Amino acid sequence: MAEEASSRRNGPLEINLKKILRSRISGMKGRLIPGFLISGLERLIHQDELNDVLRTTYPAVGTDFADGAYRFFDLSLEVEGLENIPDEGRFIFASNHPLGGLDGIGLIKVLGARYGDDGLKFLVNDMLMNVEPLRPVFLPINKYGAQGRAAARAIADAYASDVQILIFPAGLVSRLHPDGKIRDLEWQKSFVSKAIEYKRDIIPVRFEGRNRMSFYRLAKWRKKLGIKVNLEQAMLPAEVCASRGKAFKVTFGKPIPWQTIEARAHKEGVAAVAASLREMVG
């Protein structure tokens, strides 16, 4: 579900790749995109099937949309460790990122049921704000210009508030590593610094699931060939659609007090603490 959604005026919510591309590629270049190329990309991202999801679930938003998406794809989600989450407290839920769509939606489904859409903020790439049904829980990360400054203020406000924060510290989907295991790339350390700054305990989260091997093979060869463009990201909508009927599992660990995190960061460094949390969830 990592592609952009847009709504027609007075019409149903839909993904319209042609409009998205032409809005992002300004002027004559946008109008000159060949129709066959757009059609091919529409098939690649499974535009019709993703629009079926929107037609089936909309106008549900937030947690209700996440529930509807799981029903649409006939997915099951086993949840363990809810008893580890205290009734009171301000937390950062830090999860691995194995799927690139249905893991985030699954976590919204579980945590949204506990805290409500108003009580949860999920830090995401700003591109995902185009997925309108999930806007109530998304908080965009944007690093550039005026939008970047506004995003930074909104993130700081969220951390300072009583809402719960959900984050994929890796930023990117898990990859196949040389040892043959599928696990996250390096975790960015900023969430550890935020936990200390805003006195939030961290709850480690492990989401169990995997994409098809073709996704990991493309990522591997793209890297070997030195191609910097993240080609495999274009496959993520197809991975969502290929997951129909699958079973996933999510496990919530015990909270790690921010005081413990602060002490370890002083001793080992913030990056080392982030790396150890990554190892904890696998």
Side-chain angles (χ1 to χ4, degrees):
M1 302 296 293
E3 300 302 315
E4 301 185 32
S6 62
S7 55
R8 294 194 300 258
R9 187 180 301 276
N10 299 321
L13 191 69
E14 69 167 8
I15 296 168
N16 188 321
L17 186 63
K18 181 186 293 186
K19 287 184 179 180
I20 292 166
L21 290 174
R22 289 180 174 169
S23 68
R24 288 189 168 271
I25 304 175
S26 60
M28 184 61 69
K29 289 182 179 180
R31 292 192 292 272
L32 291 177
I33 300 173
F36 73 87
L37 177 59
I38 293 176
S39 297
L41 291 172
E42 287 172 346
R43 290 191 296 273
L44 177 67
I45 71 165
H46 289 242
Q47 177 172 289
D48 290 343
E49 189 165 2
L50 295 180
N51 279 329
D52 284 343
V53 181
L54 294 174
R55 280 190 288 270
T56 301
T57 58
Y58 197 74
V61 298
T63 305
D64 290 339
F65 175 80
D67 281 332
Y70 262 59
R71 287 195 301 272
F72 180 90
F73 287 110
D74 190 27
L75 302 169
S76 62
L77 183 59
E78 180 184 355
V79 183
E80 289 189 358
L82 284 177
E83 70 279 3
N84 291 329
I85 305 175
D87 292 332
E88 296 182 357
R90 299 162 62 247
F91 309 112
I92 298 173
F93 292 87
S95 175
N96 64 321
H97 192 15
L99 299 178
L102 292 174
D103 44 5
I105 293 173
L107 289 171
I108 291 171
K109 170 181 165 67
V110 176
L111 293 174
R114 186 180 183 101
Y115 297 111
D117 292 349
D118 293 336
L120 178 68
K121 286 298 177 185
F122 189 178
L123 272 62
V124 299
N125 185 300
D126 66 302
M127 289 282 288
L128 290 180
M129 295 305 291
N130 292 287
V131 184
E132 293 186 28
L134 293 177
R135 282 184 182 175
V137 295
F138 279 172
L139 186 61
I141 300 171
N142 189 313
K143 299 179 180 179
Y144 305 104
Q147 286 185 328
R149 291 190 292 273
R153 286 194 298 272
I155 291 170
D157 289 343
Y159 273 110
S161 74
D162 290 330
V163 303
Q164 308 301 339
I165 303 293
L166 172 60
I167 188 170
F168 289 138
L172 297 174
V173 178
S174 301
R175 297 295 196 267
L176 179 66
H177 289 258
D179 61 4
K181 295 182 179 179
I182 295 170
R183 60 179 182 273
D184 273 5
L185 300 171
E186 180 181 359
W187 276 19
Q188 301 167 22
K189 63 184 181 180
S190 59
F191 78 104
V192 175
S193 299
K194 295 294 186 184
I196 297 169
E197 180 180 358
Y198 292 97
K199 297 179 172 57
R200 285 179 173 265
D201 298 344
I202 293 178
I203 295 181
V205 182
R206 174 173 173 76
F207 198 103
E208 296 181 36
R210 57 183 293 171
N211 291 318
R212 294 174 297 179
M213 282 305 300
S214 56
F215 172 84
Y216 305 112
R217 283 196 293 267
L218 177 58
K220 176 182 176 182
W221 281 105
R222 189 261 303 173
K223 186 176 180 180
K224 276 190 174 183
L225 294 171
I227 300 173
K228 294 183 178 180
V229 178
N230 189 349
L231 298 175
E232 63 270 23
Q233 186 174 6
M235 292 183 64
L236 290 177
E239 295 302 314
V240 170
C241 296
S243 294
R244 185 178 296 276
K246 287 188 176 181
F248 304 126
K249 180 179 178 180
V250 60
T251 304
F252 295 91
K254 294 182 179 179
I256 304 171
W258 68 267
Q259 297 94 333
T260 301
I261 295 166
E262 183 178 41
R264 288 187 56 191
H266 280 308
K267 183 178 179 180
E268 306 168 24
V270 175
V273 175
S276 69
L277 291 170
R278 170 180 172 267
E279 291 301 316
M280 185 180 298
V281 303

